[in-house]
Amino acid sequence: MYDLRDIKIIDTDTHVVEPPDLWTSRVSTKKWGDLVPHVRWDEDRGDEAWFVSGTRMSAVGAPAMAGWHEYPPACPPRFVDTDPRSWDPGKRLTLMDDYGIHAQILYPNVAVFSSKTLQANGDNELQIECIKAYNDYLTEWAEFAPGRYIPVGILPFWDMEATLAEVERVAAAGHKGLVFTQNPAAFGLPVLTDPYWDRLWASAQEKKLPINFHIASGEVDLSGFGHASNGTAANYGMMGISFFMDNARTLSQLIFGGICDRFPELKFVSVESGIGWMPFALEGMDWQWRNSGVHKEHPNYELLPSEYFKRQIYGCFWFEQDSARSAIDQLGADNILYETDYPHPTSMSPGPASDAVRPDDYLRRNFSHLSEADARKILHDNAAALYNLY
């Protein structure tokens, strides 16, 4: 029997909690004033929050929930109340060693979940400066432990020329992937399947940078999920599961929209959305492909949706048990990645207000049946190849 400790586990979705001075220390407040994202106390909500001008984006402590003693959406009220391991690279390494995690793919919080506010903030020059400032911050954070911290860059996707320039810049800085919105149409931009985006796909393919579709890549707002009478906790849970399932639409667009066909070497990752639903989604796509005559309409499409998936698309799991085991049995191990989502509310980080267990315990309890070859693929090899970490 193999030992998990002998596998250099790559955690494919974690988050660095942004320090309050991330943007104010890098973008001129003399020039832009309070349009630069900054943190201040919100008297109405009773917590520290990110603001641009007078617009609140999100609570500072919202993404730093690992080990916190209250259920979400309650969270640490101040940055000083958050666990330093969520933002200190040295302390994070100690936790990774304890959990048996070798490397982490690093994602943002504010720059993904409040991207609609950032997009509407000031003029285009400021918006682009904010994106570059974040990417520079993440580059420097990752340099604390090269090979263990893996940055993936965000993009000013509302400006194609600036996006292409930022792809060049982050690739040169050592970023190993790109983060892109699931639904650009929500920002008043062309839909995901529009050939408008082909220049981005081509650049990413040429540089071997996978496109990562993280859930909730826009404003996160509880008000759209259930009536207030349902209760805050119920609405929050409803929001989370809804976000997980949204990536099914993303996968169908990548395949039915011909993106996978036109860019056969480009890889895509469905991030923080689980894998249990994927066998059904792929079987449904294959059925609709044939039953709707897509193969007749597009005779140039040489593969079925399930085959495009196997060639180019990956899914990540973290808390699932039966559904993940079933998905791996049906799909095989080649397109599966493991994540912990640290330090988000759903992360595999035990605490008084969480059902989570330690990542190493979770893996031993639920996936000890995997062959050593499959375990190594899921926990290391797939991610290492995908993100060019060899």
Side-chain angles (χ1 to χ4, degrees), residues 32 35 52 117-127:
W32 302 109
L35 288 173
V52 290
T117 300
L118 285 177
Q119 182 217 10
N121 179 33
D123 65 20
N124 198 42
E125 181 185 352
L126 172 58
Q127 296 163 9

Side-chain angles (χ1 to χ4, degrees), residues 114-223:
S114 297
S115 53
K116 187 169 281 189
T117 300
L118 285 177
Q119 182 217 10
N121 179 33
D123 65 20
N124 198 42
E125 181 185 352
L126 172 58
Q127 296 163 9
I128 294 168
E129 285 301 309
C130 288
I131 296 296
K132 293 169 68 175
Y134 177 80
N135 285 333
D136 290 345
Y137 165 75
L138 199 63
T139 299
E140 294 166 13
W141 209 88
E143 287 171 350
F144 185 90
R148 298 198 67 183
Y149 291 139
I150 315 301
V152 288
I154 60 173
L155 302 170
F157 52 83
W158 46 88
D159 183 320
M160 178 59 77
E161 299 307 321
T163 288
L164 295 174
E166 193 62 6
V167 170
E168 298 283 345
R169 204 178 73 88
V170 298
H175 289 231
K176 296 298 185 177
L178 303 171
V179 185
F180 194 67
T181 176
Q182 307 156 277
N183 186 17
F187 297 82
L189 298 165
V191 296
L192 191 65
T193 58
D194 195 304
Y196 169 84
W197 300 109
D198 281 3
R199 294 170 66 197
L200 170 58
W201 310 144
S203 180
Q205 177 175 257
E206 187 266 331
K207 296 172 181 62
K208 295 181 169 58
L209 295 173
I211 303 294
N212 300 274
F213 294 97
H214 197 287
I215 63 165
S217 50
E219 299 297 292
V220 176
D221 183 1
L222 272 173
S223 64

Side-chain angles (χ1 to χ4, degrees), residues 51-336:
F51 282 85
V52 290
S53 190
T55 301
R56 177 183 167 118
M57 292 192 287
S58 59
V60 165
M65 288 295 291
W68 187 243
H69 63 272
E70 298 176 279
Y71 289 102
C75 63
R78 296 175 175 83
F79 183 75
V80 296
D81 300 318
T82 62
D83 187 332
R85 294 176 296 187
S86 67
W87 46 265
D88 182 307
K91 291 182 170 62
R92 174 78 67 93
L93 278 182
T94 300
L95 180 67
M96 290 164 60
D97 290 339
D98 181 40
Y99 281 173
I101 301 294
H102 173 69
Q104 292 185 337
I105 309 297
L106 306 174
Y107 284 86
N109 300 293
V110 178
V112 167
F113 306 127
S114 297
S115 53
K116 187 169 281 189
T117 300
L118 285 177
Q119 182 217 10
N121 179 33
D123 65 20
N124 198 42
E125 181 185 352
L126 172 58
Q127 296 163 9
I128 294 168
E129 285 301 309
C130 288
I131 296 296
K132 293 169 68 175
Y134 177 80
N135 285 333
D136 290 345
Y137 165 75
L138 199 63
T139 299
E140 294 166 13
W141 209 88
E143 287 171 350
F144 185 90
R148 298 198 67 183
Y149 291 139
I150 315 301
V152 288
I154 60 173
L155 302 170
F157 52 83
W158 46 88
D159 183 320
M160 178 59 77
E161 299 307 321
T163 288
L164 295 174
E166 193 62 6
V167 170
E168 298 283 345
R169 204 178 73 88
V170 298
H175 289 231
K176 296 298 185 177
L178 303 171
V179 185
F180 194 67
T181 176
Q182 307 156 277
N183 186 17
F187 297 82
L189 298 165
V191 296
L192 191 65
T193 58
D194 195 304
Y196 169 84
W197 300 109
D198 281 3
R199 294 170 66 197
L200 170 58
W201 310 144
S203 180
Q205 177 175 257
E206 187 266 331
K207 296 172 181 62
K208 295 181 169 58
L209 295 173
I211 303 294
N212 300 274
F213 294 97
H214 197 287
I215 63 165
S217 50
E219 299 297 292
V220 176
D221 183 1
L222 272 173
S223 64
F225 293 87
H227 191 269
S229 63
N230 297 337
T232 303
N235 284 341
Y236 188 90
M238 191 189 315
M239 175 182 70
I241 192 63
S242 299
F243 284 154
F244 297 161
M245 302 309 296
D246 277 351
N247 267 13
R249 176 181 63 182
T250 305
L251 265 59
S252 67
Q253 289 179 307
L254 294 174
I255 295 170
F256 282 78
I259 300 169
C260 289
D261 187 78
R262 295 197 302 277
F263 301 93
E265 296 178 11
L266 182 57
K267 309 300 184 185
F268 302 94
V269 188
S270 175
V271 184
E272 200 181 313
S273 60
I275 61 172
W277 53 270
M278 287 183 169
F280 165 75
L282 292 170
E283 190 168 357
M285 288 183 211
D286 282 355
W287 167 255
Q288 291 286 38
W289 190 268
R290 293 184 293 253
N291 197 54
S292 301
V294 177
H295 61 300
K296 299 292 186 181
E297 183 178 63
H298 296 280
N300 55 304
Y301 291 175
E302 298 179 352
L303 303 176
L304 285 170
S306 58
E307 293 170 329
Y308 282 116
F309 174 88
K310 289 178 181 178
R311 187 177 74 181
Q312 295 175 252
I313 300 174
Y314 297 78
C316 313
F317 73 96
W318 71 110
F319 65 89
E320 294 171 88
Q321 298 179 39
D322 291 344
S323 64
R325 287 192 293 267
S326 177
I328 293 167
D329 288 344
Q330 294 177 72
L331 300 176
D334 292 345
N335 299 80
I336 308 300

Side-chain angles (χ1 to χ4, degrees), residues 16-80:
V16 178
V17 173
E18 297 90 347
D21 68 344
L22 190 157
W23 280 283
T24 53
S25 65
R26 296 168 183 271
V27 179
S28 174
T29 55
K30 183 177 181 180
K31 179 176 182 178
W32 302 109
D34 66 358
L35 288 173
V36 177
H38 58 280
V39 169
R40 66 174 173 82
W41 183 257
D42 186 340
E43 291 289 351
D44 294 333
R45 303 277 191 95
D47 61 9
E48 284 183 339
W50 286 97
F51 282 85
V52 290
S53 190
T55 301
R56 177 183 167 118
M57 292 192 287
S58 59
V60 165
M65 288 295 291
W68 187 243
H69 63 272
E70 298 176 279
Y71 289 102
C75 63
R78 296 175 175 83
F79 183 75
V80 296

